[in-house]
Amino acid sequence: MPRDPAVEILPSACPHDCPSTCALEVEKIDSHHIGRVRGSQRNSYTAGVICAKVARYSERVHHPERLRTPLRRVGEKGVGLAAYQPIGWDDALDLIADKLIRVAERDGAEAVWPYFYAGTMGYVQRDGIERLRHVMRYSRQYSTICVKLSDTGWVAGAGVKRGVDAREVVESDLIVVWGGNPVSTQVNLMTHIARARKERGTKLVVIDPYRTPTAEQADIHLAVRPGTDGALACAVMHVLFRDGMADRAYLAKYTDVPAELEAHLKTRTPEWASALTGLSVQAIEDFARLYGQTKRSYIRVGYGFTRMRNGSAQIHAVASLPAVTGAWQYPGGGAMYGQTGLYTLDRTMIQGLDWLDKGVRSLDQSRMGPILVGDKGALAGGPPVKALFIQNTNPVVVCPESVKVRDGFLRDDLFIAVHEQFMTDTAKMADIVLPATTFLEHDDFYTGSGHTYLQVAKKIIEPYAESRSNHEVICALAKRLGAEHPGFHMTPWQLIDQMLKASGLPDADTFYREGGVDMAPKFETAHFLDGFGHADKRFHFKPDWKALGIEHDKMPVLPDHLAVTDEANADKPFRLVAAPARSYLNSSFTETPGSIKRERRPTILMNPGDCTALGVKEGDRIRIGNDQASIVIHVEPREGQQRGVVVIESIWPNAAFEEGIGVNALTSADAGYPAGGAVFHDTAVWLRAA
Ligand SMILES: Nc1nc2c(c(=O)[nH]1)N[C@H]1C(S)=C(S)[C@@H](COP(=O)(O)OP(=O)(O)OC[C@H]3O[C@@H](n4cnc5c(=O)[nH]c(N)nc54)[C@H](O)[C@@H]3O)O[C@H]1N2
Ligand SMILES: Nc1nc2c(c(=O)[nH]1)N[C@H]1C(S)=C(S)[C@@H](COP(=O)(O)OP(=O)(O)OC[C@H]3O[C@@H](n4cnc5c(=O)[nH]c(N)nc54)[C@H](O)[C@@H]3O)O[C@H]1N2
Ligand code: SF4
Ligand SMILES: [Mo]
């Protein structure tokens, strides 16, 4: 689309919870309106490309259903706008503060649970709630909904959360996208992969239980059964050792127990893995040979295959592969899961870490359902939660065991305040709803996990209607609660500047002027040739799980298939994967017309053979359930996934489903091993006629 030279173009960064954290260029029409949003060239990872949903951001920021004013509920929970009356900001903040003070006096400070996640990834607007929490000694939040399982398993092997720069895939001869769907969830990676394929004829392998848009582009798609990647990785390593494709010199120099690993893998044959993964022996042998014979092989490790009870073990097994072939030594070789270990930022001021007391109770974010319905174990020995203050997340929809979450939110003795941009399912349960700004209306600082840039972004337009930023709300509440901390008296820009200076980095203005700073380390470091992150500098095939989580005794000693998943059985013969949808971002964008049009309605993707066996066809309704709940959904036959595997792309609002509960009614709030983590793709289910 041609650019109008009269329209001002300003730099920004995408705040959404996505590994890409794209550098943006935003058309500013006037002080209240934006036009088109484009990817910027100033950041060579973004390279001018962004996803369609953010390119259409004017649909979201100027949406007629944006929250305009603070609201007080006067009707039933769950109804929405009709149940609320507008009130002034001072009244709303006074009401919240009074309630929090009363709850803390009566039930103890731990009965208050500030709850947040990454609706914006900006450090100031996302994490300021931590400062309020720590100063007030409110219950802490154990962050488990997204990266706990993957972080734990990656760090077990590599010792630090970083890897080979994704831009380096242009030098790879083989790219393996393992348990991720970048076409939908981080489109920029595909730009670099496309370049590699064009310039070098690079092969693309995708390992995913269903034919995602990424799998559709692959040379080879290995449609594993969910939760069996550990077995596949072990069988591949078995072949590498068996057929002389292991780099023994590399193993001796850079890894901990290569001989033990080789002996252990003797029984982890392709036949053994075939029975678990559902892949043919030939497919496993062929992939192992391709991987073993390609020096410049790059694994882009996704999150999907870690959202399992055995997820940390799975990612550890997969991350072991390049240590066996020594792929780390070559340009375009190695692996990457996330880069956040590169940024050692001093977040004391923003998060109020000088007030952090680890003696204060910590509650597992993903176990919100059990927590709110009063499960003693989930409450970690403390009082019931009597007040929730929520920013940046929509737990009524996105948390597992969502029926329990909803039941908890329906409690009469629970006070709920929600700060949101839209009337989400969570906001509909609140006593007080506060309108929030978007990233275009406030300043913030961003890091990327899929790339290595740090970026700052300034507000581009004025806040919509009466909306206020998270930072403003946190500071206003702090004042009313008598919480004292210098961070409550600083502007977002001052907080960013303070953090950067305390971290030994250039100041905020320099960052802004230069369009961000690339923190990519030198080749030797990125490829761990100067050592992995452990004290002994070696990759650990035999991790110290004990240091990583309380359920360490459940973990395999060496890379293995850990048989702790919710296995299919005669009563529940199907395995459900609750994967991300392309046009939504978690529960965000479920309000924008362009995204809704593309996603249409909730569907269940099924192997055509299963459709025939169950007598259902395209567009039919079917009931899917387990011991927790059941939901009704429309059928879509899809080639390319195994029989017995079904997929629901999400996360739709509850109202999109016939009976008003969505996919997370089926997912479990069990904590993955060894350190916790939500197990969204680890669910056995039955299917019946609706
Ligand atoms: N079935 C299933 N469930 C899942 C997953 C899955 O794959 N399948 N994935 C899980 C994962 S990985 C994650 S990370 C979670 C994420 O789940 P959520 O945290 O709920 O995700 P988001 O939709 O990114 O953000 C939530 C809300 O933040 C609001 N928001 C955005 N910016 C701001 C702001 O500046 N201020 C305020 N106050 N609010 C703001 C948005 O309007 C949005 O409603 O979902 C999890 N749930
Ligand atoms: N469009 C869009 N983009 C997003 C999001 C979104 O909801 N929509 N969510 C954002 C967030 S918060 C995150 S954390 C990231 C997530 O980004 P991804 O890593 O891409 O997403 P995951 O949920 O982790 O699932 C990715 C893939 O893992 C597959 N998978 C599930 N189980 C297994 C398994 O056992 N083995 C293997 N090999 N694969 C498996 C799923 O089928 C799915 O295709 O994306 C972010 N970007
Ligand atoms: S790809 Fe991710 S980071 Fe980039 S614009 Fe889209 S949601 Fe934002
Ligand atoms: Mo996530």
Side-chain angles (χ1 to χ4, degrees):
M1 205 192 294
R3 294 178 185 207
D4 177 351
V7 174
E8 198 180 355
I9 309 275
L10 292 169
S12 189
C14 179
H16 284 287
D17 190 0
C18 171
S20 287
T21 318
C22 293
L24 304 180
E25 285 178 359
V26 180
E27 288 182 356
K28 178 176 177 177
I29 309 275
D30 59 38
S31 60
H32 288 90
H33 295 96
I34 64 150
R36 187 98 188 140
V37 178
R38 295 184 180 83
S40 168
Q41 294 288 355
R42 72 174 186 269
N43 169 323
S44 65
Y45 182 71
T46 304
V49 176
I50 57 168
C51 65
K53 56 193 179 300
V54 170
R56 296 189 300 260
Y57 213 77
S58 57
E59 271 190 5
R60 188 163 193 273
V61 67
H62 303 315
H63 197 294
E65 287 163 21
R66 275 279 302 271
L67 292 169
R68 298 182 57 86
T69 64
L71 299 168
R72 176 186 196 163
R73 191 168 53 79
V74 290
E76 293 284 296
K77 285 185 181 178
V79 172
L81 218 49
Y84 288 88
Q85 274 178 355
I87 52 169
W89 266 104
D90 280 341
D91 288 345
L93 292 164
D94 286 346
L95 278 165
I96 296 171
D98 282 355
K99 195 71 194 186
L100 300 191
I101 289 167
R102 267 192 286 138
V103 166
E105 275 172 7
R106 198 184 53 216
D107 301 296
E110 287 182 347
V112 179
W113 195 22
Y115 189 91
F116 76 117
Y117 202 55
T120 170
M121 294 280 276
Y123 278 39
V124 174
Q125 309 294 352
R126 183 188 62 194
D127 297 339
I129 192 172
E130 291 287 54
R131 188 179 339 115
L132 185 68
R133 178 201 314 280
H134 295 324
V135 174
M136 296 303 296
R137 305 178 66 80
Y138 293 149
S139 275
R140 291 186 294 137
Q141 175 175 317
Y142 185 46
S143 182
T144 53
I145 210 159
C146 185
V147 294
K148 180 56 73 184
L149 281 152
S150 42
D151 278 4
T152 307
W154 176 270
V155 169
V160 58
K161 184 176 173 182
R162 56 179 173 80
V164 173
D165 200 310
R167 289 168 296 189
E168 230 182 276
V169 298
V170 296
E171 298 183 66
S172 309
D173 291 319
L174 169 67
I175 301 166
V176 183
V177 171
W178 201 311
N181 176 14
V183 166
S184 299
T185 61
Q186 48 162 320
V187 65
N188 317 74
L189 181 65
M190 299 312 293
T191 315
H192 303 287
I193 292 178
R195 229 185 100 193
R197 297 178 90 184
K198 194 160 159 229
E199 290 174 8
R200 299 179 70 90
T202 303
K203 283 221 152 30
L204 175 64
V205 176
V206 170
I207 303 178
D208 198 297
Y210 79 112
R211 190 173 298 165
T212 60
T214 315
E216 267 167 23
Q217 295 194 14
D219 298 291
I220 300 171
H221 170 211
L222 296 175
V224 284
R225 278 181 68 74
T228 64
D229 304 82
L232 176 59
C234 287
V236 170
M237 290 189 281
H238 168 99
V239 175
L240 298 174
F241 278 110
R242 185 195 69 194
D243 294 354
M245 293 181 285
D247 182 337
R248 292 178 188 280
Y250 179 88
L251 282 161
K253 187 169 174 198
Y254 286 105
T255 70
D256 59 345
V257 289
E260 269 185 60
L261 177 68
E262 185 172 1
H264 157 77
L265 291 170
K266 282 258 156 39
T267 54
R268 293 342 185 232
T269 59
E271 289 74 16
W272 165 82
S274 169
L276 289 162
T277 58
L279 301 173
S280 69
V281 171
Q282 193 61 48
I284 298 171
E285 292 272 358
D286 289 348
F287 172 56
R289 201 158 310 113
L290 177 65
Y291 186 76
Q293 290 174 348
T294 314
K295 285 192 167 15
R296 295 177 170 215
S297 63
Y298 186 95
I299 306 181
R300 180 59 174 101
V301 179
Y303 306 86
F305 75 115
T306 71
R307 308 201 190 288
M308 307 274 165
R309 289 166 179 80
N310 65 2
S312 295
Q314 296 234 102
I315 188 173
H316 173 253
V318 169
S320 298
L321 286 167
V324 173
T325 60
W328 290 111
Q329 299 160 98
Y330 309 107
M336 199 270 277
Y337 146 64
Q339 300 286 29
T340 48
L342 281 173
Y343 322 125
T344 42
L345 294 161
D346 184 341
R347 291 152 80 169
T348 309
M349 184 67 81
I350 288 180
Q351 297 194 356
L353 296 177
D354 42 348
W355 281 76
L356 167 66
D357 176 354
K358 290 195 173 158
V360 174
R361 163 177 76 174
S362 179
L363 296 172
D364 185 336
Q365 167 189 32
S366 306
R367 294 183 49 72
M368 188 180 219
I371 287 166
L372 293 185
V373 299
D375 178 297
K376 288 261 179 306
L379 283 166
V385 172
K386 292 287 179 68
L388 287 169
F389 173 70
I390 301 175
Q391 281 184 326
N392 267 342
T393 184
N394 184 10
V396 168
V397 176
V398 306
C399 249
E401 286 186 32
S402 61
V403 172
K404 277 190 192 158
V405 178
R406 185 195 57 190
D407 290 349
F409 272 78
L410 286 171
R411 271 172 40 199
D412 285 336
D413 65 338
L414 178 67
F415 172 79
I416 306 164
V418 174
H419 187 196
E420 248 300 345
Q421 296 161 342
F422 288 92
M423 187 54 87
T424 59
D425 285 307
T426 303
K428 285 178 189 165
M429 293 289 199
D431 298 286
I432 304 286
V433 178
L434 306 172
T437 45
T438 68
F439 76 108
L440 296 163
E441 299 148 73
H442 58 234
D443 299 342
D444 219 329
F445 172 88
Y446 305 90
T447 57
S449 79
H451 62 67
T452 52
Y453 281 89
L454 310 185
Q455 306 175 75
V456 290
K458 285 189 181 175
K459 106 174 181 184
I460 289 182
I461 50 173
E462 293 306 313
Y464 172 68
E466 292 182 29
S467 63
R468 291 189 187 173
S469 73
N470 292 1
H471 177 67
E472 286 173 277
V473 169
I474 292 294
C475 296
L477 274 179
K479 193 171 165 200
R480 285 168 171 78
L481 294 166
E484 257 316 319
H485 192 281
F488 296 129
H489 304 284
M490 293 163 77
T491 65
W493 203 255
Q494 287 168 336
L495 282 167
I496 296 166
D497 209 43
Q498 186 279 338
M499 174 178 68
L500 293 175
K501 285 178 184 153
S503 313
L505 289 163
D507 64 12
D509 289 324
T510 308
F511 261 79
Y512 186 72
R513 221 178 24 252
E514 294 182 359
V517 170
D518 188 354
M519 302 288 282
K522 63 182 195 294
F523 183 91
E524 282 69 26
T525 306
H527 288 251
F528 298 113
L529 300 180
D530 50 10
F532 286 90
H534 298 292
D536 63 4
K537 304 254 181 214
R538 288 165 185 268
F539 184 89
H540 287 187
F541 294 126
K542 194 177 189 174
D544 180 7
W545 290 117
K546 201 167 182 174
L548 293 167
I550 47 169
E551 300 274 14
H552 54 86
D553 58 337
K554 304 279 195 318
M555 300 306 285
V557 175
L558 290 158
D560 215 340
H561 170 67
L562 181 61
V564 293
T565 49
D566 189 13
E567 262 325 291
N569 57 33
D571 294 334
K572 288 177 282 183
F574 293 88
R575 293 267 310 174
L576 167 66
V577 172
R582 182 167 182 174
S583 304
Y584 297 153
L585 197 140
N586 304 322
S587 66
S588 303
F589 297 90
T590 54
E591 65 285 322
T592 52
S595 290
I596 297 168
K597 196 167 148 216
R598 276 164 187 80
E599 295 297 331
R600 214 161 72 106
R601 65 183 179 198
T603 49
I604 181 166
L605 307 175
M606 295 173 59
N607 177 294
D610 285 333
C611 292
T612 309
L614 288 164
V616 290
K617 55 182 191 324
E618 168 92 44
D620 283 355
R621 292 156 61 254
I622 198 166
R623 186 171 286 280
I624 169 170
N626 58 11
D627 305 338
Q628 291 178 195
S630 73
I631 63 175
V632 174
I633 191 161
H634 288 88
V635 170
E636 191 177 318
R638 177 73 72 94
E639 298 283 354
Q641 65 202 58
Q642 292 189 32
R643 293 208 49 182
V645 175
V646 297
V647 180
I648 300 177
E649 293 180 340
S650 25
I651 314 168
W652 290 88
N654 288 334
F657 292 84
E658 272 183 45
E659 292 163 353
I661 50 169
V663 66
N664 281 323
L666 305 174
T667 58
S668 167
D670 284 1
Y673 300 129
V679 299
F680 288 110
H681 307 328
D682 188 2
T683 313
V685 289
W686 47 254
L687 297 176
R688 289 182 198 147

